[in-house]
Amino acid sequence: MLLCASLLILVAGSGQFAAVPKPVISLHPPWTTVFFGKTVRLTCKGFHSYEPKETKWYQKYYTGKAEETETSGNTLEVHKSGEFRCQIPGSPASDPVQLSFSRGPLILQAPHSVFEGDTLLLRCQTNGKEKLSSVKYKWNGNLLYNSSNSMDFSIPRASLNNSGNYQCIGSYGKNHVLKSNKKIIKIQERFPHPKLNATAFQPTEGSSVNLSCETHLHPERLDTPLHFIFFRDNGVILSGWNNSSELQIPILWKEDSGLYGCGIETVTHSVRKHSLLLHISVQRIPVSQVSMETQPPGGQAVEGETLVLVCSMAEGTGYTTFSWHRENMKESLGRKTERSQRAELEIPAIRASHAGGYYCTADNSYGPVHSEVVTINVREIPGNRSILVGLGAAGGLFSILPLLLSCWSWRKSGNDFQEAETK
């Protein structure tokens, strides 16, 4: 099921496959140029090495004769130069393979297909019994390698830049020099540069975003295991190298806005590519519908007891600065900055002189939004003061010291509170 889901696409309502990967042809021996009289076995492989029971071969020989052959297996033995394709039931024809059977004294042998990250192996072969004493390899007419020890030449971890025109020159004896055929080698992409996709490019604060790093492997390299990484600007790594092509960011805030990217590499580290950077701009929701309530409710306070002013908002994201005010007074009674839609200010011991109108504001960088004024009524209890005096006379001064200190925190002039700011 996983194989079908990843490789086959159904046409809606038709029940037929709209796209099936092409089969690929492998060679044994792996060279596209061999000496005349040799045999090359071609094998037609379906996706994920599926071996078909019946295979159709298309053969176009360089003599101009074209043939179509259907075999019971998936192999074909070739003895003549030409172009070859194969087709398995339900698939399109493969890409062509060109074979050359040479009668020359020296040939340059190269693999049929080389992908970035592979080792490109070149072999200089003679048709005679005499062995070469030295060999030179040229790339685009320039000397690439010269050796009297090894007749082969290899490029570990070939890149796209290694594509070009190759030739080998062999020497034996003093004056015998042989030149091989010229071979154009194109290094193929194992996978293109990835593309980073996001479920939202302008998410709101507090929401989640899913990132996906997308690419596709060449049909001949579908079995290549890959690792993925996600990052953002300034070198912040969001997820280290692992085998997951997706990443969920559970919560985003305004300060998370920036450029995001992803990378893909083979597990052997032979090929690594990065996506273009994608800008994600996190949107902040302005504060709205600010209200203030009291505990005890209704603005009914009892002298000497604690009163809590609760400031809340219906909407708004990010860090919000809450501020509490007494009506007709410029200075704030208290201020708190929190990543919340609600904050509290506690007045430890309310006095009768503190009765009046109060309101709060909330600001998350768009400007303060005011609540309606709430009237605080303070009910006096005469017995409270006589109790306090009695406790002091009985030597309980230290037991009421915290209460006295909390009362001293209120300003005497204007019956206002001392401002306390927290974050």
Side-chain angles (χ1 to χ4, degrees), residues 33 64 159 261 267 273 277 400 404 416:
T33 302
S159 70
V267 294
K273 297 182 180 182
L277 296 179
I400 65 170
L404 294 175
D416 202 359

Side-chain angles (χ1 to χ4, degrees), residues 297-349:
Q300 303 300 315
V302 177
E303 186 178 28
E305 296 186 359
T306 299
L307 176 67
V308 179
L309 304 180
V310 182
C311 192
S312 60
M313 56 188 180
E315 290 186 333
T317 58
Y319 281 109
T320 302
T321 299
F322 297 89
S323 183
W324 290 264
H325 303 265
R326 189 169 182 179
E327 198 174 19
N328 300 322
M329 299 296 294
K330 293 183 178 180
E331 295 184 10
S332 170
L333 305 177
R335 186 179 287 110
K336 291 183 178 180
T337 301
E338 298 180 356
R339 187 174 273 169
S340 173
Q341 291 185 323
R342 185 179 184 274
E344 298 179 355
L345 177 69
E346 184 177 290
I347 302 172

Side-chain angles (χ1 to χ4, degrees), residues 18-46:
V20 178
K22 296 178 181 179
V24 296
I25 299 176
S26 63
L27 290 70
H28 181 77
W31 318 112
T32 55
T33 302
V34 295
F35 287 114
F36 185 80
K38 300 293 183 179
T39 299
V40 177
R41 173 176 289 184
L42 306 183
T43 302
C44 188
K45 294 184 177 181

Side-chain angles (χ1 to χ4, degrees), residues 73-382:
N74 65 331
T75 62
L76 179 71
E77 291 189 348
V78 179
H79 308 277
K80 296 185 293 184
S81 299
E83 182 180 283
F84 304 87
R85 296 174 185 261
C86 73
Q87 186 177 20
I88 62 178
S91 79
S94 69
D95 291 331
V97 169
Q98 295 181 349
L99 291 180
S100 176
F101 291 81
S102 175
R103 295 179 183 270
L106 185 71
I107 59 174
L108 172 64
Q109 293 184 317
H112 160 56
S113 60
V114 181
F115 289 83
E116 52 185 346
D118 289 348
T119 295
L120 171 58
L121 176 63
L122 302 178
R123 178 165 293 175
C124 207
Q125 289 281 82
T126 59
N127 198 13
K129 294 182 179 180
E130 289 195 62
K131 294 183 179 181
L132 297 174
S133 58
S134 66
V135 67
K136 296 179 182 179
Y137 285 87
K138 286 190 173 183
W139 173 68
N140 293 336
N142 300 314
L143 182 62
L144 186 64
Y145 177 75
N146 186 3
S147 175
S148 58
N149 296 320
S150 175
M151 301 298 106
D152 296 345
F153 173 69
S154 63
I155 301 177
R157 295 188 180 182
S159 70
L160 301 181
N161 295 330
N162 295 126
S163 298
N165 197 326
Y166 289 81
Q167 185 183 31
C168 74
I169 301 172
S171 301
Y172 63 92
K174 293 183 178 179
N175 300 315
H176 294 84
V177 177
L178 300 174
K179 291 185 178 181
S180 75
N181 56 299
K182 291 184 179 180
K183 180 73 175 178
I184 296 177
I185 298 176
K186 182 180 180 181
I187 310 300
Q188 301 184 73
E189 269 195 324
R190 190 177 293 263
F191 54 87
H193 283 273
K195 179 182 179 182
L196 179 68
N197 283 323
T199 52
F201 301 109
Q202 293 184 328
T204 57
E205 279 192 309
S207 65
S208 65
V209 167
N210 293 334
L211 303 178
S212 60
C213 197
E214 298 179 0
T215 190
H216 60 274
L217 288 165
H218 191 279
E220 293 186 43
R221 291 294 187 270
L222 290 177
D223 57 349
T224 303
L226 299 175
H227 279 171
F228 303 83
I229 190 173
F230 293 87
F231 55 89
R232 56 168 297 184
D233 46 7
N234 299 324
V236 178
I237 303 300
L238 303 176
S239 173
W241 291 105
N242 60 71
N243 58 5
S244 176
S245 62
E246 297 183 350
L247 174 69
Q248 182 185 54
I249 304 177
I251 299 178
L252 282 171
W253 302 107
K254 182 72 174 178
E255 53 268 30
D256 294 321
S257 297
L259 297 173
Y260 288 73
C262 71
I264 300 179
E265 73 169 5
T266 58
V267 294
T268 59
H269 315 296
S270 59
V271 183
R272 177 182 292 185
K273 297 182 180 182
H274 293 98
S275 70
L276 294 175
L277 296 179
L278 176 69
H279 188 262
I280 295 180
S281 178
V282 184
Q283 306 299 302
R284 175 162 290 172
I285 299 176
V287 169
S288 65
Q289 301 181 42
V290 177
S291 61
M292 192 182 78
E293 59 184 20
T294 65
Q295 296 175 358
Q300 303 300 315
V302 177
E303 186 178 28
E305 296 186 359
T306 299
L307 176 67
V308 179
L309 304 180
V310 182
C311 192
S312 60
M313 56 188 180
E315 290 186 333
T317 58
Y319 281 109
T320 302
T321 299
F322 297 89
S323 183
W324 290 264
H325 303 265
R326 189 169 182 179
E327 198 174 19
N328 300 322
M329 299 296 294
K330 293 183 178 180
E331 295 184 10
S332 170
L333 305 177
R335 186 179 287 110
K336 291 183 178 180
T337 301
E338 298 180 356
R339 187 174 273 169
S340 173
Q341 291 185 323
R342 185 179 184 274
E344 298 179 355
L345 177 69
E346 184 177 290
I347 302 172
I350 196 76
R351 297 207 310 258
S353 59
H354 296 146
Y358 293 81
Y359 67 94
C360 70
T361 66
D363 181 9
N364 66 350
S365 78
Y366 289 98
V369 178
H370 294 237
S371 72
E372 293 184 357
V373 175
V374 174
T375 300
I376 305 296
N377 297 309
V378 181
R379 180 164 57 90
E380 296 185 49
I381 301 179

